[in-house]
Structures are given as structure tokens and as C-alpha cells.
Amino acid sequence: MEPIIAIVLALVGYALGSAKIINEGNEALVERLGRYHRKLTPGLNFIVPLVDSIVMEDTTREQILDIKPQNVITKDNVYLEVDGVVNWRITNMEKSFYKIDDIQIALTTLAQVELRANIADRTLSQTIASRNEVNQSLLRVLNDTSAEWGVQIIRVDIQSITPPESVQKSMAEQQAAEIRKQATISTAEGDLQAAIKRAEATKESIRILSQAITSKPETREILKYLVAQEHLEASQKLSASTNAKIVFLNPALSEGALDQMIGEAASHEIDDNGSEKSSI
């Protein structure tokens, strides 16, 4: 009876020693007598005790590698502090264990070296303006190397690019100058448009006035009255000032100037009408 119990216990012990449960999202490598034997997938697996041994169990899920702030030099010799993150995952568990000693250190070193080399080929303005292009370039280069390690680089993101304080101050001043320049240009364009509108309005007013003069003779007397009223208001404004000198205009001269203006306006209106009729 005792031998049977011993055999049963031995079998139970063997079963417990040979059964290995691998969690979902993980994989394990088994060596037999010091040589790679097979890979264990998620679920219940069995190995041979004392002969087989699990040398590695790791996740195949996406992982994040933090790139600590690095001091890099741009093509135009500006020192920058750059940091970022790398998203990666193991695609071949055998290569990640047998091709490289420490995959985390290897990826960190590779990312830092390639980051410095990439930014060294760009100026400060190019680095800041083309951050997404830098990310894509790093992604391609890192994948070319990490493929030999059984690793896929999913995404590279540069989190921050920090120039020295002196450079930041210069950039802020340059941006402020650009804003002032654009504001000046916008103001000048606005003044130009306003001047054009005023000129067009004046032209239209003269056209309407000349048309009224030629069509209604009483308009002449109305204009004389308006001019006299303007003279009176101007005289009152000048007399209100303590150090102003009052200059009285000769009504005869004003009336002559007004007659000349009315005559010229009327002649222009006749010429315009004549030319229009001849063209018809």
C-alpha cells in the first residue's frame, strides 16, 4: 500500500513541477539542458522537471520607454534640452533574449544616440518647426536597428524642446517684432483702403453736385448760401481763440471762385454727356 502512495505522490509532484501557467499577454522561453527548446504561450503548459527550465518570461504588450532630458547641439550650434518617449513591444521573444543582453538599456542608448544625431543635422528653427518630421525619422531609424532584437518601435514622441534662456528671449523679441510688423502692414492697408473709399465718395459727390448744377439753376444760389455759412462758422471759431488772428475773406473773391467751380463742373458734365452720346 505504501509503494502505491509513494508512486501517487511522485506523480502528483511531477505534475505540479511540470505544469506552468503563463498569463495572457506574456510568453516564456524554455531551455532543455542549457539549450533553447521551445516557447510557452499563455495558458497551461507542461515541461520536464529537472531537464527543462524557464529562462525568461516577459510581456508582449506595448511598453513605454522614457527618454530623459538630453543636451543636444543643433546644426547652428545652439544647445537644446530635449526629452521624449518611445512606445515599443516585443515581437520575437527569442531574439529579444538571445540577441541582446538588456533590451531596455539597448533601446534607451539607441534612442539617445539617434536623437542627438537627428537634431545635429537641423537648425534650431528647423527642429522646432518640424517636430513631427523628427519623430517619423527617429521611428524609421530605430525600427531598422531594433528589428534585429525582435522589437517593434510603435511610436516616438518628442515631448519638449527647451532652448537656453538667452535664445528664448531672442525668439520672444523676434516674434514680438513680427507681430508689430504685421500690425503696421495691416494698419497701412486699412488706411489705404479708407483713402480709396474717401476718394471714391468725393468723386461721387462731385458728380452728383455737377449733375444738380446743370439740371437745376436754383442750386447755384443754394451753394452760395452754404459757402457764406461756412465762412461765418470759420470766423467764429477763429475769434474764439485768444491768440488767433481773424482774416476776413472777400465775398467777391469767394463768389468768383464759386462761379468758376460751377462753370467747370457744368462743362465737365456737358463733355461727359456729349462723349456718351457720341459713343452711342
Side-chain angles (χ1 to χ4, degrees), residues 178-216:
E178 184 65 23
I179 293 175
R180 290 194 295 269
K181 175 184 175 182
Q182 294 298 328
T184 302
I185 293 175
S186 299
T187 302
E189 292 177 350
D191 292 342
L192 176 61
Q193 294 297 326
I196 293 174
K197 293 295 183 182
R198 287 194 297 269
E200 292 176 350
T202 303
K203 179 181 178 181
E204 181 65 16
S205 299
I206 294 175
R207 187 190 67 79
I208 295 174
L209 180 61
S210 62
Q211 184 178 3
I213 291 173
T214 55
S215 60
K216 298 180 179 180

Side-chain angles (χ1 to χ4, degrees), residues 91 103 107 110 141-153:
T91 57
I103 190 65
L107 287 177
L110 178 63
V141 174
L142 293 180
N143 266 321
D144 290 342
T145 303
S146 63
E148 295 295 326
W149 303 338
V151 171
Q152 178 190 7
I153 307 299

